[in-house]
């Protein structure tokens, strides 16, 4: 694949170097804190940070046991974010997510009981296990950062981020997310198994954890017990990093290539439909954040190509004929990227 040379835009007014140093230190501190608990999965940590910096939502897909829940929990505690976790099940109701009106027996009046969605970071665990009615309760919150309870509208905390997980191998008792709902996720990252060395390190760490003794009893420690309770950064540090990301330069050539990439997905005869303009916005925003995490104040072609799968693959659908012939979305996307380069 040939490299596309992007002329850099004229530099805009950059934040003071002290602000940049603080933002970079924030990233390093969070990565170090997560690495104390989770072995490997550097790409997943990067995607979580990209989502935090851009305000986009993230879907993590992987088989059980790849530390998806542990990763999200570790990041939330590292940044001192208000964290909520919802285990999605088939009997989950919308009110279990957003909250409901309850009758106050003392006053005889209804009052609003807010649900777990009122948090900075919401982990929607195994989101595809909930019925469509419960899944739809997330849409207003994810798009507009507000929810409606009993005719009243409530703003969600700032920042607000949804990280959802789903298991790709189990189909029994699950409900596939429709395209319109998947489009709400800026990134859709697919986790891989750890390397041999990483898996050995995981085993060594577990064997060395020991016991947690409470009330005269004891239970073997897990990785969740190793998460430090005190944060290594604050929301103010996160805001400074978000401001630094906003200063990352995006050239006109990069914009044209992003639009061309998305438009080619709509023109492919192997796809029922391609990506909407929301994919362009996600590519630009995510590329900015990735450039910042790599120590650059400008985007490069590598950002576009590295993030294309996470941004675009869940936004396209193959035709029946293409699927029957054995084509895959990844293969079609790789072909479009190759033609673009």
């Amino acid at each position: 694949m040939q490299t596309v040379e992007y002329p850099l835009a004229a530099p805009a007014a950059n934040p003071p170097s002290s602000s940049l140093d603080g933002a970079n230190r924030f990233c390093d501190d969070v990565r170090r804190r997560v690495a104390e608990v989770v072995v490997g999965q550097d790409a997943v940590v990067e995607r979580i940070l990209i989502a935090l910096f851009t305000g986009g939502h993230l879907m993590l897909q992987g088989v059980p046991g790849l530390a998806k829940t542990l990763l999200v929990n570790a990041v939330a505690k590292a940044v001192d974010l208000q964290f909520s976790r919802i285990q999605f099940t088939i009997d989950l109701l919308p009110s279990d997510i957003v909250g409901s009106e309850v009758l106050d027996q003392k006053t005889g009046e209804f009052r609003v009981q807010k649900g777990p969605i009122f948090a900075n970071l919401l982990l929607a665990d195994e989101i595809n296990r909930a019925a469509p009615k419960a899944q739809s309760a997330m849409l207003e919150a994810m798009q507009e950062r507000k929810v409606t309870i009993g005719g009243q509208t409530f703003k969600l905390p700032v920042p607000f981020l949804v990280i959802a997980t789903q298991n790709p191998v189990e189909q029994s008792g699950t409900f596939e997310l429709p395209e319109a709902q998947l489009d709400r996720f800026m990134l859709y990252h697919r986790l891989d198994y750890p390397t041999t060395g990483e898996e050995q390190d995981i085993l060594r760490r577990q064997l060395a954890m020991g016991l947690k003794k409470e009330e005269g009893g004891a239970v073997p420690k897990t990785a969740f017990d190793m998460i430090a309770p005190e944060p290594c950064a604050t929301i103010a540090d996160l805001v400074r990093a978000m401001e630094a990301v906003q200063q990352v330069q995006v050239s006109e050539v990069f914009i044209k290539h992003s639009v061309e990439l998305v438009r080619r997905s709509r023109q492919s005869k192997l796809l029922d439909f391609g990506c909407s303009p929301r994919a362009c916005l996600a590519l630009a925003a995510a590329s900015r954040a990735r450039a910042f995490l790599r120590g650059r104040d400008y985007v490069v072609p590598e950002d576009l190509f590295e993030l294309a799968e996470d941004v675009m693959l869940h936004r396209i659908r193959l035709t029946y004929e293409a699927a029957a012939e054995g084509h895959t979305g990844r293969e079609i996307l790789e072909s479009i990227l190759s033609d673009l380069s």
Side-chain angles (χ1 to χ4, degrees):
M1 188 178 294
Q2 297 178 348
T3 302
V4 183
E5 293 296 336
Y6 281 55
L8 300 182
N14 288 322
S17 58
S18 59
S19 299
L20 286 174
D21 291 342
N24 290 323
R25 189 165 55 250
F26 163 85
C27 298
D28 293 339
D29 290 345
V30 171
R31 281 172 158 161
R32 255 194 312 270
R33 179 61 62 86
V34 174
E36 293 174 0
V37 183
V38 181
V39 178
Q41 300 295 7
D42 296 332
V44 188
V45 176
E46 181 181 75
R47 296 314 192 267
I48 294 175
L49 289 173
I50 288 173
L52 277 173
F53 293 157
T54 59
H57 306 295
L58 171 64
M59 172 72 81
L60 297 177
Q61 177 179 289
V63 297
L66 295 185
K68 299 184 293 294
T69 304
L70 179 66
L71 266 169
V72 178
N73 204 318
V75 172
K77 289 189 176 179
V79 188
D80 199 21
L81 297 172
Q82 186 182 351
F83 175 72
S84 285
R85 176 179 179 268
I86 304 176
Q87 181 64 51
F88 278 64
T89 57
I90 194 170
D91 59 347
L92 192 74
L93 299 174
S95 58
D96 296 327
I97 301 172
V98 301
S100 61
E101 287 187 317
V102 296
L103 180 64
D104 191 323
Q105 297 289 343
K106 294 182 178 179
T107 64
E109 297 178 349
F110 284 95
R111 59 180 175 82
V112 172
Q113 179 70 45
K114 294 182 178 179
I117 201 169
F118 286 87
N120 298 125
L121 179 54
L122 173 67
L123 174 60
D125 219 352
E126 295 187 291
I127 190 173
N128 57 331
R129 288 196 175 279
K133 185 175 183 180
Q135 291 180 14
S136 66
M138 305 284 292
L139 297 182
E140 181 185 21
M142 293 174 68
Q143 184 64 29
E144 303 176 37
R145 266 67 175 184
K146 62 184 180 67
V147 297
T148 303
I149 306 173
Q152 298 184 62
T153 299
F154 299 88
K155 289 185 178 181
L156 292 168
V158 178
F160 173 72
L161 172 67
V162 173
I163 299 181
T165 70
Q166 63 178 12
N167 179 352
V169 295
E170 281 188 332
Q171 303 301 323
S172 177
T174 63
F175 299 85
E176 186 177 358
L177 273 66
E179 284 79 5
Q181 189 170 344
L182 284 174
D183 195 44
R184 297 295 196 279
F185 290 96
M186 184 181 79
L187 299 172
Y188 190 122
H189 186 70
R190 296 148 186 88
L191 281 75
D192 293 324
Y193 285 109
T195 65
T196 301
E198 289 171 345
E199 203 156 1
Q200 291 173 352
D201 197 9
I202 292 170
L203 183 55
R204 292 189 193 99
R205 287 192 183 191
Q206 182 63 47
L207 292 173
M209 283 182 188
L211 296 176
K212 179 174 67 174
K213 297 180 180 180
E214 289 183 356
E215 300 176 0
V219 64
K221 287 183 179 180
T222 68
F224 286 93
D225 296 313
M226 309 310 292
I227 300 176
E230 68 281 352
C232 65
T234 65
I235 291 181
D237 296 323
L238 173 60
V239 171
R240 281 190 286 272
M242 295 171 73
E243 290 173 342
V245 169
Q246 291 296 311
Q247 299 298 322
V248 173
Q249 299 300 304
V250 180
S251 70
E252 281 298 319
V253 176
F254 187 94
I255 291 172
K256 289 177 181 178
H257 277 81
S258 298
V259 172
E260 180 64 18
L261 174 60
V262 169
R263 292 187 69 84
R264 289 193 183 196
S265 72
R266 301 175 201 155
Q267 296 164 358
S268 174
K269 295 181 179 179
L270 298 174
L271 299 176
D272 261 341
F273 58 81
C275 298
S276 71
R278 188 177 286 161
C280 275
L281 300 173
L283 278 171
S287 294
R288 263 182 159 180
R290 185 179 186 275
F292 169 72
L293 287 168
R294 299 301 172 100
R296 289 182 271 106
D297 62 356
Y298 55 90
V299 296
V300 295
E302 181 190 350
D303 299 319
L304 182 67
F305 290 116
E306 280 294 319
L307 293 167
E309 180 178 314
D310 285 8
V311 171
M312 297 179 63
L313 198 53
H314 64 290
R315 291 184 162 99
I316 61 177
R317 186 174 69 188
L318 276 67
T319 64
Y320 176 81
E321 293 78 12
E325 292 171 2
H327 294 287
T328 64
R330 181 178 280 107
E331 167 206 323
I332 295 169
L333 179 58
E334 287 177 352
S335 175
I336 294 173
L337 287 168
S338 180
D339 291 343
L340 182 66
S341 66

